[in-house]
Amino acid sequence: MSEFDYDLFVIGAGSGGVRASRVAAAHGAKVAVAEEYRIGGTCVIRGCVPKKLLVYGSHFADELHDAARYGWTVDQPRFDWPTLRDTVLRDVERIEAAYTSTLDNNRVEHFHERAVIAGPNTVRLASGRELTARYILVAVGAWPVMPAFEGSDLCITSNEVFHLPALPKRVVIQGAGYIAMEFAGIFNALGCHVTVVNRSDVILRSYDEAMRDRLLQITMARGIEYRFNSPIRKVARQDDGSLLVHAGDHEPIPADTVLIATGRRPKTDGLGLENAGIALGANGQIPVDEYSKTSCDSIYAVGDVTDRVQLTPIAIREGHAVADGLFGGNRRTIAYDSIPSAVFSQPPIAAVGLTEAEARDQYGEVRIFTSDFRPMKNIFAERHERGLYKLVVDAGTDRVLGVHMIGPDSPEILQAAAIAVRAGLTKADFDDTVALHPSMAEELVLMR
């Protein structure tokens, strides 16, 4: 008989937690997972998956408008928000069921209630039941940050935005990170008047400046308004039920919905980590070593709760590595360099490697290659939006340090380019590759 109820107890059934549970069970471990909300976590339930489906739905506004230039007759198209909303939510249910089946098929026991840490090898369920485990993995993710201001209770976050009863005519979005810019694009395409307010004068600060500037130009031309250096001070309910947003020193902004998208914080409040002697970081994150182990030898943490890199594929890799290390005899680390990322704005941005500014700081002399072009798809359309691709190259070694793109389908193209950056290929390798014509991707190998 084992001295513990389980070999591994996972708190949180998101992408990282489910992967760790499945892999550990496949190695022969007895595994349980507790989830207080829905299996699937942020990405599946209230993040990248439903958001990307909304992006797809909003793209039809342009597609239907452009169809006439390509010879199609589309009579009186109209949009119905409840249809898109409910279709997206049904697909979320489908994926949640698939995640649940994955746990069941791997004989992972799951508890649909909150669990907290009661000691180095003990978890306490909301029901009061205590269970023991040789190892505990914390994978509870992060939670939207809601700034403190009068009327904040009248606002929503990215958690609630998928459940809006009706499509608002006027939307104010606070923040200028990827969540803010993606929802700004969605609402703008669906016909809402969108105002983005931000405490600084920079959007998407981690991305290359040229891509940020191009996105700002295009979205302003599409009708999105910006008020920089203007954090929300107050939101008030009007007699007609609408909202009035006081931001910075500007005139108040009338709105029907106010979306707060000012970042996410590790969801560690009340988790009981102090019961295992684990001190949190300044942002509430769980400090871990390169193997995702905390200061307590029996407790590990992966994903957004560690605040290392808040990306679903990273949480999955971390969870997989922990399971392999503890139960598969394969102790390994995760590489955090050259991670591809994308913002599904309209148009989207995609990037891998160093920005031009980062490369100059680290390498000194760099060479920059750009292609500024009008995508073929836009030629028949009335839009004069231009794509922009950039290669950042180390002048000394010719190695490509970064690839940055804005334009249609950039994330789909960037994934292949990320392999090249990760492999350390040179600009000469790009030049020696035959172009695939006609395509937007060919611009990557035609820059001289």
Side-chain angles (χ1 to χ4, degrees):
M1 295 288 293
S2 171
E3 61 178 304
F4 301 105
D5 297 316
Y6 299 96
D7 297 310
L8 177 67
F9 195 101
V10 181
I11 303 177
S15 298
V18 169
R19 174 61 65 90
S21 300
R22 176 180 69 78
V23 174
H27 286 313
K30 184 180 181 182
V31 183
V33 59
E35 172 55 56
E36 65 178 333
Y37 182 50
R38 297 172 66 180
I39 291 175
T42 296
C43 181
V44 169
I45 304 301
R46 49 183 173 247
C48 41
V49 170
K51 181 176 57 184
K52 185 68 177 294
L53 292 173
L54 291 183
V55 170
Y56 282 142
S58 67
H59 281 176
F60 283 96
D62 283 341
E63 300 290 343
L64 291 170
H65 182 268
D66 297 344
R69 304 295 295 270
Y70 283 91
W72 292 90
T73 299
V74 182
D75 293 327
Q76 298 181 329
R78 59 187 180 84
F79 173 70
D80 182 66
W81 165 253
T83 297
L84 175 60
R85 178 199 61 203
D86 294 347
T87 300
V88 169
L89 294 179
R90 281 194 299 271
D91 198 61
V92 167
E93 293 177 354
R94 176 188 66 80
I95 302 174
E96 181 187 10
Y99 269 59
T100 304
S101 295
T102 295
L103 294 177
D104 291 338
N105 293 339
N106 285 276
R107 298 186 297 278
V108 175
E109 189 173 357
H110 40 96
F111 298 91
H112 291 276
E113 55 184 306
R114 179 174 172 80
V116 299
I117 292 173
N121 299 98
T122 306
V123 297
R124 182 183 300 111
L125 301 178
S127 60
R129 182 181 178 186
E130 290 194 352
L131 299 167
T132 61
R134 184 177 303 276
Y135 298 105
I136 298 171
L137 175 64
V138 181
V140 297
W143 203 250
V145 173
M146 177 64 76
F149 56 80
E150 183 180 346
S152 63
D153 58 308
L154 301 175
C155 306
I156 65 171
T157 71
S158 56
N159 285 353
E160 299 82 34
V161 70
F162 301 102
H163 303 274
L164 289 173
L167 185 68
K169 294 181 179 179
R170 302 162 299 180
V171 181
V172 171
I173 301 176
Q174 173 158 308
Y178 73 95
I179 295 175
M181 297 308 300
E182 288 171 343
F183 278 111
I186 291 168
F187 284 122
N188 172 257
L190 295 179
C192 309
H193 182 273
V194 177
T195 304
V196 174
V197 299
N198 193 36
R199 64 181 179 181
S200 74
D201 59 357
V202 177
I203 66 171
L204 300 172
R205 64 174 60 253
S206 64
Y207 283 83
D208 190 87
E209 183 177 2
M211 306 301 124
R212 292 188 269 126
D213 288 346
R214 180 61 56 90
L215 180 63
L216 187 61
Q217 294 168 13
I218 292 175
T219 54
M220 289 177 66
R222 289 190 174 207
I224 296 177
E225 295 186 9
Y226 292 87
R227 294 192 180 181
F228 292 120
N229 301 308
S230 301
I232 293 178
R233 296 183 288 105
K234 173 184 175 182
V235 176
R237 178 80 71 184
Q238 303 301 289
D239 292 340
D240 62 359
S242 66
L243 302 173
L244 199 60
V245 181
H246 300 262
D249 298 324
H250 299 280
E251 288 295 316
I253 311 166
D256 303 297
T257 295
V258 179
L259 170 63
I260 304 300
T262 52
R264 300 174 63 83
R265 185 179 185 274
K267 197 171 185 291
T268 50
D269 291 345
L271 199 55
L273 290 158
E274 67 279 2
N275 295 324
I278 299 172
L280 299 177
N283 195 39
Q285 76 273 23
I286 301 176
V288 293
D289 66 12
E290 65 269 33
Y291 298 101
S292 296
K293 187 175 73 172
T294 70
S295 59
C296 178
D297 288 342
S298 58
I299 299 180
Y300 288 70
V302 299
D304 293 1
V305 75
T306 68
D307 206 24
R308 286 178 287 190
V309 178
Q310 292 191 355
L311 289 173
T312 296
I314 295 300
I316 291 172
R317 287 193 171 216
E318 290 171 349
H320 199 137
V322 166
D324 280 348
L326 294 179
F327 305 106
N330 179 19
R331 193 165 185 253
R332 57 191 172 84
T333 60
I334 302 299
Y336 294 96
D337 59 320
S338 300
I339 298 173
S341 65
V343 181
F344 294 98
S345 49
Q346 300 188 31
I349 290 177
V352 63
L354 302 179
T355 65
E356 179 179 347
E358 291 169 341
R360 293 191 187 280
D361 286 343
Q362 295 184 32
Y363 289 85
E365 187 178 355
V366 297
R367 294 186 296 153
I368 304 299
F369 299 85
T370 61
S371 177
D372 192 332
F373 61 97
R374 188 179 181 189
M376 182 180 291
K377 186 178 181 180
N378 288 351
I379 292 177
F380 283 4
E382 296 176 356
R383 294 183 307 280
H384 295 279
E385 299 171 1
R386 300 181 65 82
L388 177 63
Y389 293 178
K390 174 190 278 192
L391 296 183
V392 181
V393 179
D394 179 8
T397 65
D398 197 42
R399 184 163 66 93
V400 177
L401 303 174
V403 179
H404 307 275
M405 313 167 67
I406 180 171
D409 300 321
S410 288
E412 306 295 338
I413 299 169
L414 190 279
Q415 179 66 82
I419 299 173
V421 174
R422 178 70 184 156
L425 298 188
T426 64
K427 180 63 169 59
D429 293 320
F430 276 64
D431 294 343
D432 290 343
T433 302
V434 176
L436 194 161
H437 181 76
S439 70
M440 290 180 292
E442 69 178 319
E443 299 296 330
L444 288 173
V445 299
L446 295 178
M447 298 184 214
R448 297 292 188 267

